[in-house]
Each structure stands twice: as C-alpha cells, then as structure tokens.
Amino acid sequence: MGDYQVAGVQQDALGAVQLELGGNPNTLALRRPFDPLAHDLEASFRLTRFADLKGRGCKVPQEVLNKLVEGLQQDYNSAAEHEHAHFMHMAIPRIGIGLDCSVTPLRHGGLCLVQTTDFFYPLVDDPYMMGKIACANVLSDLYAMGVTECDNMLMLLGVSTKMTEKERDVVIPLIMRGFKDSALEAGTTVTGGQTVVNPWCTIGGVATTVCQPNEYIVPDNAVVGDVLVLTKPLGTQVAVNAHQWLDQPERWNRIKLVVSEEDVRKAYHRAMDSMARLNRIASRLMHKYNAHGATDITGFGLLGHAQTLASHQKNEVSFVIHNLPVIAKMAAVAKACGNMFQLLQGHSAETSGGLLICLPREQAAAYCKDIEQQEGYQAWIIGIVEKGNRTARIIDKPRVIEVPAKE
Amino acid sequence: MGDYQVAGVQQDALGAVQLELGGNPNTLALRRPFDPLAHDLEASFRLTRFADLKGRGCKVPQEVLNKLVEGLQQDYNSAAEHEHAHFMHMAIPRIGIGLDCSVTPLRHGGLCLVQTTDFFYPLVDDPYMMGKIACANVLSDLYAMGVTECDNMLMLLGVSTKMTEKERDVVIPLIMRGFKDSALEAGTTVTGGQTVVNPWCTIGGVATTVCQPNEYIVPDNAVVGDVLVLTKPLGTQVAVNAHQWLDQPERWNRIKLVVSEEDVRKAYHRAMDSMARLNRIASRLMHKYNAHGATDITGFGLLGHAQTLASHQKNEVSFVIHNLPVIAKMAAVAKACGNMFQLLQGHSAETSGGLLICLPREQAAAYCKDIEQQEGYQAWIIGIVEKGNRTARIIDKPRVIEVPAKE
C-alpha cells in the first residue's frame, strides 16, 4: 500500500513560519532568516548537517553514470519499443540519456506523458525554503522541455535517522509546506508521495504532465547562428558552502581575504531566492520566442549540461560559451578555494539552476527583456551556436558577470 | 537537468546473471542463488549490509506519519482544489491519506492520471532479484486500484557511499536489469529515473497510468457479507531476517530450535519469489469478479493496511480476519523471537505483499480458483466484512495456514 497520498503541514507548526514569511508567503524579499529558536529547536540546529553532500552535488558523477547505463540503447531494441519510437511522424525520443524528461506516447488521443523525478539533500538550513527549492528543482525539468503546465506532483522524503523526534516534527512539516506552496505557485498540486527514514535527510519529487505534442519543445533543433541564453546566475553551490563556512573558522580563513561575512550572507540569500524561483515564465517565453531547445542547469554544472544538450542536436553544431553570470563575489570565493568548485570551468554543481536556451539570434534580446519585465530578474546571452561536432566549450578567458543580490 | 532517461545494464555484466537465470529470465524456479564470486566480488558480499533497515521496514511508523500529515485535509480547501474534487459526477478522491495511488483528473478527454511512488532498502542479497522486487512493489499500488496497465515507470536509485567502485559497477547494473525485466513482464517500460549517492543503498520507482475512470476501482465499496481474499502469504520480513541470521550465530541460536537451515533457505526463496511476483493477474481478476475494493500489503503489515482500507469505506462495515497464510515455518520463527515481528498480530512489515481484496461472497471461491489456475499460486479467503465502524481486527486465535515453498 502506498505511503500517503497527501502533503502539507500541521497548522500549529506554522506560527513561526508565518512570521518568517512576513505574513505573505509570496514575498520572498521580506522573508526573515530561519530561526531554530523560534521553532523550539537548539540554536545550533542546521538542516544541512543531516547529509554529507549538498543539493545536486549528490549526483553520481556523469562519467560513472554513463558507464552504468551504457550499452542500453541496443538493449531497448525489442519490437514493443520500436513500435513507440515514432509517433505522429515525429521522432519522439522515448529513451535518451540526458533528456530532462521522459516522453511517452499514450494509448489515448495522441497524448503524451511527460515525466521527471529528482531528489537530493538539504543545502540550505531553512526547511521551508528547502521544500520550495526541491519543488522548483523537480518542475524545472518540465520547464526545460517547454512544458509549462504540471498536472500532478508526488513528494519523496527521507527523514534522517539522526533527527530527534522534536526536530523531525518541526522540520518535516515545514519542508512539506514549502514544497506544496511552490507547487501551488506553479499551478499544480501534490497528491502523494513516499516517506522513509534514511541516514541523510532527502527531499525530492516527481512531476508529471499529460499533454499534446505541441506543448513541449524537443531540445534538438539548434542551428548555426543561434545564441545561448541563461536565466539564472551560477554559483549556488559555492554560495551555500561559503555560508556554511561562516561557522567553520579553518574553512572561513581560506576565503576571508576575498569576501566579507555580509557578502556571503547576501550571496546565500540570493542563491536561495534564485533556487526557489520557478523556471515557468522562462519556459513560457521559449514558445513566444521560438526557442530551438533548452536544458536546465543542475548537478553536472553549466558545461556538463551544455555538452549533453549539444550532443542531442540534429544539426552539426557546437556551443561556445563566452560569459559566466555568477552570484556576486562567488567567482572570487571559488578561485580562493583553489578551484575545488571548478566554477569558471563550468563544472560547479548547481541546484535548481536556470534554463540554458538556444534562441534565434534576433529573438534573444527580446526574450531577455521580456523575462526581466515579467519577473524582475535578468537573463543573459552567454554564448553562441556555431558549426561543429555537437560539443560545448567555454572560451579560455570567459567574462565573469557579477550578479548582485537583489535588494 | 534530469539525471538520465534510460535504464538497463552493461551487456558484459550479464554473463553471470544469465547463468543464475538458467538461461531463461522468466523461470524463477530455475534461478540459482546469487554468487558474489561469479561476479568477481568477495564471497562475503551481502547487498543487505548496505542499509540498516530492510525493505518496507524503513517506513516512517504509521502513527508518526499520520501526525506529520494531520490537519492537511482542511489545508486543502482552496478554490483551486475544490474545483477538481468532483469529476464527471464521481467523487474522485483527489487527496486521501492511505489510498494506494493518487488519482488526478486531467485537462484532456475525461482521462485520469493514476500515480504512485515507493522506494526502500535492499532486503535480499541478489541484486537482480532486488530490482525485480522493487519494481513489482511499485506496480502493486496500481494493481491494488484495479489498474492493470502501466504507461510508464521511472527508477529511483541510491548508490551506497560504502560500496567499492567494483561493487557498484557489478551491483547497480544488475539491480537496473531486474527492475527493467519486471517492468517488461508487466508490459511497461522504464524511461527515466534518478541516481544519487546515499549512505544506504536505495531502490524504488514511480509508476504512472493515464486511464478512463472505469479502468480503476475506488476501494471504498465493501458491503456486509463480503469476504476478504489475500493473494500472497505473509512472513516476507521474517524470512529475509531469518536468512540473514544464518550468518549470525547469536541470532541463529534464538530460532534454531524451531527451524532448520534448509527450512530458512526455502522460506527465503519462497519470499523472494513471492515478492518478485506481480499482482497484475490478481488485479485483472478483480474486475472479472466485481471486487468492491482492495489494497496491497506492505510496510504497515496486514492489519495496518486492512485498517486503512476499512477506514475508507462508504458503508458502515468492519473487517474481521480469521486466517493468516504464512510462509512455512515463519510463524514459528516469529514466535521464537518473542514476537519482535508482531506477525500474528498483523503488524509484521511485508514487501511487495499480496492484494487484500473485498469480494462478493459468492465470487470469492471462483476468484481464488481462477488465480491459481492462471498463476499456479494459491489465494486465500482470510476474513469477512461485517457491520461495524470502519475498523479492522484479527480474531483472538487466528488459524495459521502454513504455505509451503513451491518445489
């Protein structure tokens, strides 16, 4: 029997979170920092201590994963599958490593099932925000395919074996509430899920849509002359680590010459805000401006996902990235760490990152302007599509664009 | 970006498993025990050591879960949700604690999205069988709702941080292969998933169907006079634990007076076989014999799930259970353990257990006969539906039916 088919939170646990929300769940700017004491927890409580890895940094390395799943394409050559490989004369990529969603033709009326799942570990200490980020991150895979309507979500939760009962009873409902609020913001609902106990706290979900083939954009249509647009800044993983190091003097000493405490706190909040933001409007505008394909930037970093997207192209194209928009000061922090993050090489993991979109050159500026008008957030033209062998690279000395925290 | 949209195994890792399968993946009876040496692993390799909890025993306790999600129904009273609460004049249980699947009305042509997710920890040492069991367990939630066609599956994998590279490269492809083979057996495919590293090995999935409302059976229609049928024996958790104790003298000494090594090995294989078996035919026959509702027996044990099913009934009924079919010798083992399993009280966790079905009295015998003819496995009438207040109980001295291992 399924675990539960419901999601939410105890009413009495919501006093503190309402305060933190400044009475308005949609006004992130007004959100106060999570205060463990206000929830009757120890002042030292940190959600991020309930896992040894953070956010999308938990991914199995891309090359390992490729090894584990290699040789699968030929494994999927039975008649049953060939039957579905084409649909309405469109080559539907029923199976394909690296696509953001699976697309499955259905038995009913030319409809397709578009699905994705993702789960990871806490990377911010605010349980409510962690729930929002997890939900935004799952939905982002749909948005990357141009699918703007999600029909249903499931929530996947691992309650850490190391949490006290009190911690569990405070934290889990807040995570659930954040997840659900984000789902409501996306115009969908959470109707079920699964909760287990696990050494590390885990949070994730499943997003599903049933749609007409014209509702999604197969991300394989880039042409020479397109430009690449990115809709959120890089550096989320650097920011959440730097923030954690505020409590760890030996770590903090490594970066304090290049960054102030205030800088780090601002970057952390900018990162949280960015990770919790839905890519939905970015997705909707892909249709308006005739995007040729997109992906979202998560665990494999900008370059990892750019390479996967490039490898799926029908045309002989390559992606060249010139600009790296990075949360303010985080490029300096990454450099001071001796490049453990590989941020400027494009390998730093992101969580709930932006969409990387191939747009016709003449549409890109209008796309960026439109998204800024609708959301108040910038998007950036970061590269170009040229003739090539379906690879992606970052130029030798990319321009780093410092993206300040929003006031 | 999503992790991968594919599932399977390296061809070269399949030599040993083909041997273990006796050349025929569908002939479980011929399957040899998993031999770590044949896969170049240490003889002492045990998949079950990569988690401290087993199978559905990892569930957050039912009462804790209820507390975490209590007060949610009133939380779901926004206009947006009420709008969907009825559909085609049917009260579709869009949200409901304890239902096996979520059912979501879709924007398209009177169709519904039926979904479920489940994940847990290794409880058998054979990675291939573990994959099959995980898949059968996820699908079982659909089958409990009378949904026999699954349109798509996603796989959720946690690779243990404690596995060596070698272990990982052997074990993970085998788990994937088992999962995928079970999906093929069910007439569906695995088109995606998510793989992370985690302290404990984790395996699970998502099953999704888009169907007409007449394809599923809302499990709320039991009437006085119905009987309760169970389609798999109880005792899987006892059997997998007893099997693990063969390696642990101090544990083994507690049960060796009531059971032989041979008994335990037989029970273990019976349990594996049973857990890997799909509830699909059981589900199909629910339609033929006009079932009034069903659930599947997993982490909360027979009584836990019976109580949840009873609580959802429209009519004023209660369930009374008289018979407990148990894998041979496992009742004695459970008793010898001082009832740590609470097997005869109905609380022992099961993994990928049978369907518990409310059937019209005059149909039940035919149902049991039909399933035995089609599958070669017995089903049992274990109780009755009488007038009551939507609860379930096991009588004082239930009859234990010893279910022998199939030869």
Side-chain angles (χ1 to χ4, degrees), chain B residues 181-244:
Chain B
D181 279 357
S182 179
L184 285 176
E185 192 186 327
T188 185
T189 45
V190 183
T191 64
Q194 162 74 335
T195 304
V196 299
V197 289
N198 191 56
W200 294 352
C201 185
T202 316
I203 165 86
V206 181
T208 304
T209 291
V210 174
C211 66
Q212 311 280 359
N214 65 356
E215 290 181 62
Y216 63 84
I217 299 170
V218 180
D220 63 358
N221 210 19
V223 298
V224 174
D226 278 357
V227 298
L228 301 171
V229 165
L230 182 67
T231 66
K232 291 183 184 177
L234 307 170
T236 53
Q237 193 82 355
V238 182
V240 298
N241 275 282
H243 183 257
Q244 205 166 20

Side-chain angles (χ1 to χ4, degrees), chain A residues 156, chain B residues 116-119 134 138 153-156 179 203-207:
Chain A
L156 308 171
Chain B
T116 184
T117 181
D118 213 348
F119 59 99
V138 176
M153 296 196 79
L154 305 174
M155 186 168 22
L156 308 171
F179 194 96
I203 165 86
V206 181

Side-chain angles (χ1 to χ4, degrees), chain B residues 27-62:
Chain B
T27 318
L28 279 174
L30 291 180
R31 187 168 170 76
R32 302 182 197 173
F34 175 72
D35 177 6
L37 291 172
H39 295 271
D40 269 343
L41 299 179
E42 300 288 319
S44 62
F45 176 86
R46 296 288 181 276
L47 184 60
T48 46
R49 295 210 184 125
F50 292 94
D52 296 346
L53 289 169
K54 270 192 214 50
R56 301 309 288 108
C58 66
K59 274 208 171 176
V60 172
Q62 200 165 15

